Amino acid sequence: MLIGIDLGTSNCAVSIWQDGQSLLVPNVYGKNLTPSVVGIDDDGHMLVGAPAHARLFTHPELTLASFKRFMGTDHSFRLGNQHFRAEELSALLLRSLKADVEQHCGCKCDRAIITVPAYFNDVQRNAVRAAGELAGLHVERLLNEPTAASLAYGLANQQEHKFLVFDLGGGTFDVSIIDMFEGVIEVRASSGDVFLGGDDFTRSLASWMLNQYPRLDKENTALFGQLLTLSEKAKCQLTTEESTTLQYQWQGETLSWNLTTDILLQCCESTLERMKKPVMQALRDARFSADEMDHIVLVGGATRMPLVRQAVARLFGRFPRGELQPDEAIAIGAGIQAGLVLQDQALDDIVLTDVMPFTLGIATSRRKGEGYEDGHFLPLIERNSFVPVSRVETIMTVFDQQKHLDICVYQGESRLVSDNVLLGMLRVDVPPLPAGEASADVRFTYTLDGILEVECKINRTGLSEKLVIEKAPGSLTPEQITESLRKLDAIKQHPREQLVNRQLVAEANAYYEQSLGEQRQYIADHLYHFERILDTQDARQIAAARKEIEELIAYLRREWE
Ligand code: ADP
Ligand code: MG
């Protein structure tokens, strides 16, 4: 069977072509979206999707998310005592999606169409193919995400059209300008912001919540993690409601917040403001005006927020298209492409080339209190820039009598260089002067052949040093694939039928932690009973007990939300 997969940074979704339409396939937990999160639990078993996502803030050292940003790089992620590449983590996700479809449809599926961002280059596209292969899926085709969205909206059938796809996901923002002509669909320009997404709204809201109680410890990461979980929930509620109330028990105290859409808007104004620039950039690159766009298509979970929709409407002076569930549209498009492939009439889309797929920059220090904090990433060439490109940035010494400047070159999209990939280093002598008085111009030049030239020129002395980086693309060799397969196959996983039960226990546990007194005892009793029945391994008893615990959770959800 052939399936269509949206392998997202925050969430994945799968569609199949059935009875002439593209249908989403729910996962083992009955949800259309599977969080793109992988982790290990306390007894060393691998967790994929929802159960891993639930531990993202509580067990950050045992949980990995947003690894799609590293596809096609040699970045290594540590999980417990093992190391993984982004391809391998993606393969674990794909394996889980594959198993979900096979269980749901009762047949084997071994072929896939996977969507990728329009700006992904060859290395990144090959990495996605490798991930598919590691998951036991032959990747029939890769499809550009904005093209998939256009297919879902039926726009690809029209004769001549230009439209803009506005994709605001969890942590990334992509704007694509699409041009349709004579049955060919072309991504004319792509722009975006890799540090912008729905998660920024969640973080702003969590900070606001923290600030409402001045005596709370602002540096407590465990507390902030809990607030993030709460504010994510509240943010989604404010999509359909004007206001909501939240409560949380912290160190014997009940914290509560009344949240309204006005408060959310207040918290998020600057984030909304940041959406403008990439839109303008994409239009400029494509040499189109906003008025020339026949449609504006909304994609990505964060475009559910009314305030995002309003901001888009204001930006274009008209209402965008958003009839489909925005976080499902790309998977639906992938399912349509699967249908077209099966009928041998697949749509061809033209890939954007000659854009820089990653952000390149250097490590810098940032002022923190009296001193400086190292390890911050200063982007020089942003992802999506047209190649060849050359950019310069001036940097300064931070200490008195500093003897040299160390230029550490990184590739990646994270704010901290420790999460990016180190490409090389360059050391240049500076004249010893008071801090801030010796400066240098750092120039990055990236050529069409993928060669990065870094030049650092000291302004006082005119002295300059050069470093040339020829990045050998981080593709997996056949030997590495075999090795990875062995590694992935050896990973301990919970039997699938136990997954749902474990998830229910985790969910009930979360309510236990939030509750107090009688309600707490009530949940504890249910959990104790359920866990005892699970120990019996008697399928019929387990099924009955599962129903009870599901009812309890449904009741608690109503109570708390
Ligand atoms: P990605 O494309 O990055 O994988 P998605 O398109 O799934 O991500 O979008 C995920 C983002 O959408 C998250 O930040 C999530 O909070 C947000 N989101 C999902 N549903 C809602 C909702 N009902 N209201 C507001 N934000 C939402
Ligand atoms: Mg997406």
Side-chain angles (χ1 to χ4, degrees):
M1 188 161 77
L2 176 63
I3 59 177
I5 302 178
D6 169 9
L7 185 63
T9 312
S10 313
N11 291 295
C12 299
V14 186
S15 271
I16 53 168
W17 185 254
Q18 203 173 53
D19 305 327
Q21 54 176 325
S22 174
L23 294 176
L24 287 154
V25 182
N27 62 23
V28 67
Y29 310 107
K31 301 269 161 54
N32 288 343
L33 294 186
T34 298
S36 306
V37 186
V38 172
I40 44 177
D41 71 3
D42 304 327
D43 46 1
H45 287 77
M46 187 66 65
L47 301 172
V48 178
H53 183 249
R55 290 162 57 95
L56 189 56
F57 300 125
T58 51
H59 300 75
E61 68 293 344
L62 293 176
T63 316
L64 296 170
S66 294
F67 37 82
K68 178 176 172 182
R69 298 176 190 272
F70 292 91
M71 288 300 264
T73 73
D74 291 327
H75 189 78
S76 158
F77 296 86
R78 199 169 71 88
L79 199 55
N81 51 15
Q82 277 187 299
H83 287 265
F84 295 95
R85 294 170 61 95
E87 290 91 326
E88 294 173 322
L89 297 168
S90 304
L92 288 167
L93 259 177
L94 290 170
R95 280 185 178 200
S96 163
L97 299 173
K98 175 179 187 287
D100 285 335
V101 181
E102 289 181 342
Q103 183 174 12
H104 189 265
C105 303
C107 61
K108 201 168 145 41
C109 92
D110 50 8
R111 294 156 65 209
I113 285 165
I114 304 182
T115 59
V116 292
Y119 57 82
F120 259 27
N121 70 351
D122 270 357
V123 178
Q124 292 164 300
R125 285 169 196 261
N126 286 336
V128 174
R129 288 183 183 277
E133 194 176 326
L134 291 174
L137 287 168
H138 172 67
V139 181
E140 202 87 2
R141 256 162 194 274
L142 297 173
L143 181 69
N144 289 317
E145 286 168 9
T147 305
S150 317
L151 279 170
Y153 271 95
L155 297 176
N157 301 329
Q158 319 205 346
Q159 272 310 309
E160 280 194 13
H161 260 319
K162 300 175 179 51
F163 38 89
L164 183 144
V165 180
F166 183 105
D167 183 351
L168 191 65
T172 54
F173 177 39
D174 295 317
V175 182
S176 317
I177 310 278
I178 310 262
D179 196 4
M180 281 280 317
F181 55 95
E182 293 165 13
V184 178
I185 187 160
E186 181 181 6
V187 182
R188 282 285 294 268
S190 147
S191 182
D193 186 334
V194 278
F195 293 137
L196 182 64
D199 300 345
D200 290 297
F201 298 94
T202 308
R203 259 192 304 272
S204 303
L205 199 55
S207 300
W208 182 88
M209 287 162 67
L210 189 64
N211 290 331
Q212 294 309 104
Y213 289 91
R215 60 185 178 283
L216 290 179
D217 178 6
K218 301 233 171 355
E219 305 294 320
N220 189 320
T221 45
L223 171 63
F224 197 67
Q226 296 293 347
L227 293 186
L228 282 173
T229 310
L230 287 173
S231 66
E232 168 73 20
K233 227 185 246 173
K235 177 188 80 173
C236 293
Q237 270 163 18
L238 291 175
T239 287
T240 45
E241 270 144 64
E242 285 292 309
S243 68
T244 178
T245 311
L246 285 179
Q247 278 198 351
Y248 184 63
Q249 304 289 340
W250 176 253
Q251 298 179 336
E253 192 185 346
T254 306
L255 310 174
S256 80
W257 299 269
N258 281 319
L259 295 168
T260 61
T261 47
D262 281 344
I263 292 172
L264 183 64
L265 181 63
Q266 235 177 62
C267 296
C268 301
E269 240 155 355
S270 64
T271 309
L272 290 169
E273 196 55 34
R274 287 170 55 203
M275 301 185 321
K276 280 187 193 155
K277 201 176 132 202
V279 170
M280 296 309 163
Q281 179 77 45
L283 286 167
R284 208 172 313 129
D285 289 349
R287 295 192 186 82
F288 288 139
S289 71
D291 295 340
E292 280 177 272
M293 296 292 104
D294 295 306
H295 301 277
I296 315 294
V297 177
L298 294 182
V299 193
T303 65
R304 282 224 175 83
M305 297 171 73
L307 46 96
V308 170
R309 292 186 173 221
Q310 283 150 15
V312 176
R314 260 199 310 274
L315 204 54
F316 292 97
R318 65 192 133 138
F319 288 104
R321 299 275 302 261
E323 310 92 272
L324 299 175
Q325 298 295 346
D327 38 17
E328 298 175 350
I330 289 176
I332 292 190
I336 295 175
Q337 177 75 322
L340 293 172
V341 166
L342 293 172
Q343 298 154 32
D344 214 16
Q345 45 180 269
L347 177 109
D348 279 317
D349 62 338
I350 296 179
V351 175
L352 247 200
T353 48
D354 307 341
V355 292
M356 179 65 216
F358 303 106
T359 300
L360 296 170
I362 57 174
T364 54
S365 308
R366 280 198 163 189
R367 191 172 270 288
K368 191 177 184 193
E370 291 292 288
Y372 282 91
E373 190 179 58
D374 287 338
H376 289 271
F377 186 49
L378 172 70
L380 262 94
I381 298 180
E382 304 245 30
R383 185 198 88 191
N384 270 326
S385 310
F386 281 90
V387 179
V389 53
S390 184
R391 298 270 155 76
V392 65
E393 185 81 39
T394 307
I395 57 167
M396 277 166 287
T397 50
V398 290
F399 300 112
D400 291 339
Q401 313 302 317
Q402 191 171 326
K403 290 203 181 68
H404 34 243
L405 283 169
D406 282 321
I407 312 290
C408 300
V409 182
Y410 285 90
Q411 158 190 303
E413 313 299 342
S414 293
R415 288 182 182 88
L416 298 179
V417 293
S418 52
D419 295 328
N420 291 331
V421 184
L422 179 65
L423 297 181
M425 283 201 286
L426 183 66
R427 172 169 278 196
V428 196
D429 293 333
V430 289
L433 289 167
E437 289 196 11
S439 68
D441 282 347
V442 181
R443 176 175 292 279
F444 272 29
T445 308
Y446 192 86
T447 66
L448 269 173
D449 315 318
I451 295 172
L452 173 67
E453 194 182 275
V454 180
E455 186 185 15
C456 177
K457 193 166 137 224
I458 307 298
N459 289 327
R460 289 246 179 165
T461 60
L463 189 79
S464 102
E465 294 279 343
K466 254 191 200 168
L467 171 73
V468 175
I469 298 166
E470 282 179 69
K471 170 94 180 77
S475 295
L476 288 174
T477 61
E479 295 76 42
Q480 278 174 314
I481 296 254
T482 315
E483 183 54 34
S484 284
L485 276 173
R486 195 170 315 132
K487 180 161 111 196
L488 298 184
D489 287 339
I491 286 171
K492 279 197 288 181
Q493 293 211 343
H494 292 287
R496 285 189 76 71
E497 65 273 20
Q498 280 179 22
L499 285 175
V500 178
N501 300 333
R502 290 176 44 82
Q503 185 65 6
L504 291 172
V505 170
E507 213 172 318
N509 244 330
Y511 283 115
Y512 174 88
E513 284 173 19
Q514 286 181 24
S515 314
L516 282 180
E518 261 178 53
Q519 191 177 54
R520 195 166 217 199
Q521 195 51 48
Y522 185 69
I523 301 172
D525 292 344
H526 269 75
L527 269 172
Y528 176 70
H529 174 69
F530 187 52
E531 284 179 329
R532 257 201 9 222
I533 302 250
L534 286 180
D535 287 340
T536 65
Q537 301 188 3
D538 174 316
R540 197 173 312 156
Q541 277 197 58
I542 291 178
R546 184 195 288 185
K547 205 163 258 156
E548 272 174 38
I549 202 103
E550 277 170 348
E551 277 163 17
L552 172 71
I553 289 172
Y555 161 76
L556 291 167
R557 204 177 281 150
R558 278 195 303 275
E559 188 91 330
W560 279 93
E561 281 170 12

